[in-house]
Amino acid sequence: MPADYHTHTPLCHHARGTPQDYIEAALGAGLTEYGVSCHAPLKPEPFDDWHMLTSDLPTYFEWVDTARTHAAGRVPVRLGLECDWLPGCQGWIEELAESAEWDYLIGSIHYLGKWNFDNPRLLESWTRIGVEEAWTRYWKEYSAMARSGLFDFLGHPDLIKKFAHRPEGDLRHFYEPAVEAIAEAGCAIELSTAGWHKPCQEQYPAREFLTLACTAGIPLLINSDAHAPEEVARDFDRATALAVEIGYRETLLFEKRRASRISLGEK
Ligand code: ZN
Ligand code: FE
Ligand code: FE
Ligand code: ZN
């Protein structure tokens, strides 16, 4: 099984489970490595109730240490963060990057301006903004996030489809500029299995995006975005089969922000 590098902790207020529970799930799935990447603090604080606070970081490190102790000699545990790409966030992310020995930083987009578009409580904004406009803005920001060079890989590439809002027709004209930006930046992406359990009923990103990314030589990780122990490595067989079908043969491991390649079928 590949590593699962996109997983959460209760510090973001919308995930549950102990470090021990998550490690047991990782061991049960036979993962190569396990990585913790909870929602990073956002400035200005308090931003909302969906992230840890800067003052929670010591507790976060303790949580990961507990996981490491429990996993010792059985599965490596990596220290990551899922960072939000927001206008003007670069300085803050650079500061965060310096603040600990991260194994990797994930860049994700969950906000367009102030709108948290993946929050099921804020769905009425979809009618105000419109699908075409939301998609246009989202993909423009996704390219900017890739070009920032701040992240080791990018999270759930087409999260904007979460509630099944998709423009009509061929969507590749949205994907192509983003794929180009990601490839030029030498960044990697994740195939997130979480989408199979959301109204969009599809992995993130769509097959067409994966095909373009594979052709462009963009490395791929397979992640669950687990917010509960039973979600760790969920649907990894299905995701691996899809990645192989599209043409992927390798995936990445990260240690202290250095990537290494391993075969997708390994272990
Ligand atoms: Zn979350
Ligand atoms: Fe996310
Ligand atoms: Fe996440
Ligand atoms: Zn996520």
Side-chain angles (χ1 to χ4, degrees):
M1 276 290 143
D4 192 348
Y5 277 167
H6 189 157
T7 72
H8 289 271
T9 77
L11 287 170
C12 65
H13 313 284
H14 62 277
R16 60 174 167 79
T18 66
Q20 292 86 349
D21 292 340
Y22 281 94
I23 294 304
E24 287 303 318
L27 291 167
L31 291 179
T32 310
E33 294 192 0
Y34 183 73
V36 188
S37 56
C38 206
H39 295 284
L42 287 185
K43 296 283 178 165
E45 290 189 313
F47 189 86
D48 58 15
D49 60 354
W50 214 248
H51 297 80
M52 64 178 117
L53 295 167
T54 307
S55 59
D56 290 327
L57 279 169
T59 313
Y60 183 58
F61 300 141
E62 275 171 37
W63 201 97
V64 175
D65 278 341
T66 306
R68 281 181 170 151
T69 303
H70 189 72
R74 300 194 288 169
V75 64
V77 178
R78 301 297 175 208
L79 175 66
L81 265 188
E82 181 180 20
C83 304
D84 277 274
W85 176 257
L86 291 166
C89 68
Q90 291 89 331
W92 171 237
I93 290 171
E94 282 166 9
E95 209 179 300
L96 271 174
E98 293 299 313
S99 69
E101 274 208 289
W102 308 107
D103 291 307
Y104 56 88
L105 296 180
I106 309 177
S108 290
I109 298 183
H110 308 98
Y111 298 85
L112 290 176
K114 290 227 171 299
W115 175 37
N116 181 198
F117 64 81
D118 78 320
N119 186 331
R121 291 173 299 192
L122 302 174
L123 287 180
E124 69 278 10
S125 292
W126 273 101
T127 35
R128 186 167 51 79
I129 292 166
V131 175
E132 191 79 25
E133 171 68 12
W135 270 62
T136 303
R137 284 173 58 193
Y138 177 87
W139 287 108
K140 198 169 153 249
E141 287 303 320
Y142 213 86
S143 297
M145 172 168 74
R147 276 190 235 102
S148 77
L150 290 167
F151 308 106
D152 299 294
F153 66 91
L154 305 181
H156 37 60
D158 57 356
L159 181 68
I160 191 73
K161 74 177 176 199
K162 177 174 174 180
F163 297 104
H165 301 89
R166 295 178 180 92
E168 300 279 310
D170 193 330
L171 299 172
R172 277 176 293 189
H173 66 101
F174 290 103
Y175 306 152
E176 281 157 356
V179 166
E180 198 181 310
I182 297 163
E184 274 175 20
C187 200
I189 57 165
E190 71 174 4
L191 191 177
S192 171
T193 61
W196 279 317
H197 305 274
K198 298 296 187 301
C200 61
Q201 297 273 305
E202 186 179 69
Q203 78 289 335
Y204 309 114
R207 172 183 287 264
E208 291 75 18
F209 188 107
L210 285 170
T211 303
L212 290 168
C214 187
T215 305
I218 296 170
L220 184 74
L221 293 95
I222 293 175
N223 291 321
S224 70
D225 206 351
H227 285 70
E230 65 272 18
E231 293 170 8
V232 170
R234 183 160 62 164
D235 299 327
F236 268 30
D237 287 334
R238 183 179 175 190
T240 306
L242 175 61
V244 168
E245 190 192 320
I246 279 161
Y248 277 101
R249 295 293 175 266
E250 289 180 327
T251 186
L252 298 183
L253 295 176
F254 283 98
E255 191 173 356
K256 307 233 160 60
R257 308 205 64 186
R258 298 183 77 102
S260 56
R261 291 170 181 272
I262 60 160
S263 153
L264 196 50
E266 219 162 89
K267 211 173 163 190

